[in-house]
Amino acid sequence: DTGVSQDPRHKITKRGQNVTFRCDPISEHNRLYWYRQTLGQGPEFLTYFQNEAQLEKSRLLSDRFSAERPKGSFSTLEIQRTEQGDSAMYLCASSLTGGRGDTQYFGPGTRLTVL
Amino acid sequence: GDSVTQMEGPVTLSEEAFLTINCTYTATGYPSLFWYVQYPGEGLQLLLKATKADDKGSNKGFEATYRKETTSFHLEKGSVQVSDSAVYFCALIANGGSQGNLIFGKGTKLSVKP
């Protein structure tokens, strides 16, 4: 199965520490999205890439968050100086072209707990 | 701004009961509409979609029709099974949005009892 994978699946950290998550999209997909989901809510858009270019960032993405997608393959999402409010499930999704009817395939997510 | 509102859960049904989960949206133009499902311990999966008015999306016995006049995309299934127990999310991609990100509702948890 060559679906979207995310690593790690769970991360527990102390407030103030930096964390980095990785997403490996489906290999031929050009679009890659990051979302955040808190308990009882639907996922909320954070940012997206078209190949290696980061084209849009949500207002939810503070300056402590940075994302990269070198060479248009895997992507990383880093959170610096974590806060308890950053505790959430971080989801990655990829799609072939990014058209409005295109299916986004989601990874299993990384659950972050900030103590 | 664009948004999705879906009925709050949890919804508890007996096996073979009829299911409806209501979803309405606010968006300019003609968004694409989706239902995603999250089974316990698994990631989000696309259940069905519709990209223009009056289209019907269907999969695994579930159906939803894109109703422009009522801005709705209600999910239905004639006879639910225990294996349908999951959280269901209604979502849209805005027509004018070049980024193509999904905008989700809050989700509706469905529990089906044998």
Side-chain angles (χ1 to χ4, degrees):
Chain A
D1 186 297
T2 56
V4 179
S5 61
Q6 293 186 245
D7 185 69
R9 295 289 303 274
H10 303 273
K11 179 71 177 178
I12 300 174
T13 191
K14 293 182 178 180
R15 189 176 52 188
Q17 298 296 304
N18 299 344
V19 294
T20 300
F21 310 140
R22 176 180 171 124
C23 170
D24 286 273
I26 294 171
S27 59
E28 65 268 25
H29 284 186
N30 297 319
R31 282 278 179 115
L32 186 147
Y33 300 83
W34 285 98
Y35 295 85
R36 181 172 67 188
Q37 185 178 18
T38 54
L39 199 62
Q41 302 295 317
E44 295 175 295
F45 168 71
L46 293 179
T47 188
Y48 86 103
F49 293 83
Q50 177 73 31
N51 299 312
E52 67 275 8
Q54 187 175 16
L55 298 184
E56 185 80 17
K57 293 194 286 187
S58 160
R59 291 190 306 273
L60 292 175
L61 213 65
S62 77
D63 291 344
R64 297 183 297 105
F65 288 70
S66 63
E68 294 182 341
R69 192 183 182 195
K71 302 178 182 178
S73 56
F74 70 92
S75 176
T76 58
L77 179 68
E78 180 183 16
I79 309 174
Q80 296 182 326
R81 305 180 304 282
T82 52
E83 301 173 355
Q84 288 184 327
D86 297 331
S87 295
M89 177 75 85
Y90 290 84
L91 300 171
C92 176
S94 70
S95 68
L96 193 58
T97 62
R100 67 185 193 93
D102 205 12
T103 298
Q104 293 184 25
Y105 295 86
F106 283 80
T110 295
R111 182 170 295 284
L112 173 66
T113 302
V114 181
L115 302 176
Chain B
D2 302 326
S3 65
V4 173
T5 303
Q6 61 182 104
M7 63 185 286
E8 293 189 16
V11 174
T12 302
L13 295 173
S14 297
E15 206 165 23
E16 299 183 2
F18 184 85
L19 169 71
T20 300
I21 300 178
N22 291 335
C23 171
T24 57
Y25 67 89
T26 300
T28 55
Y30 290 85
S32 294
L33 302 174
F34 303 80
W35 277 101
Y36 275 81
V37 59
Q38 190 167 35
Y39 297 103
E42 298 185 17
L44 279 165
Q45 305 174 21
L46 177 69
L47 182 59
L48 52 84
K49 67 180 180 183
T51 58
K52 60 183 188 294
D54 300 325
D55 270 3
K56 178 185 284 187
S58 61
N59 186 26
K60 299 182 180 180
F62 290 88
E63 294 182 340
T65 301
Y66 188 139
R67 300 289 188 197
K68 179 68 175 173
E69 63 277 11
T70 54
T71 63
S72 65
F73 193 55
H74 304 320
L75 183 68
E76 296 182 335
K77 186 175 186 182
S79 177
V80 294
Q81 305 301 311
V82 172
S83 57
D84 294 326
S85 298
V87 182
Y88 293 82
F89 293 92
C90 186
L92 68 83
I93 293 179
N95 182 44
S98 60
Q99 60 265 39
N101 59 287
L102 288 157
I103 297 169
F104 287 89
K106 291 186 176 183
T108 302
K109 184 176 182 179
L110 170 66
S111 295
V112 181
K113 306 298 184 185

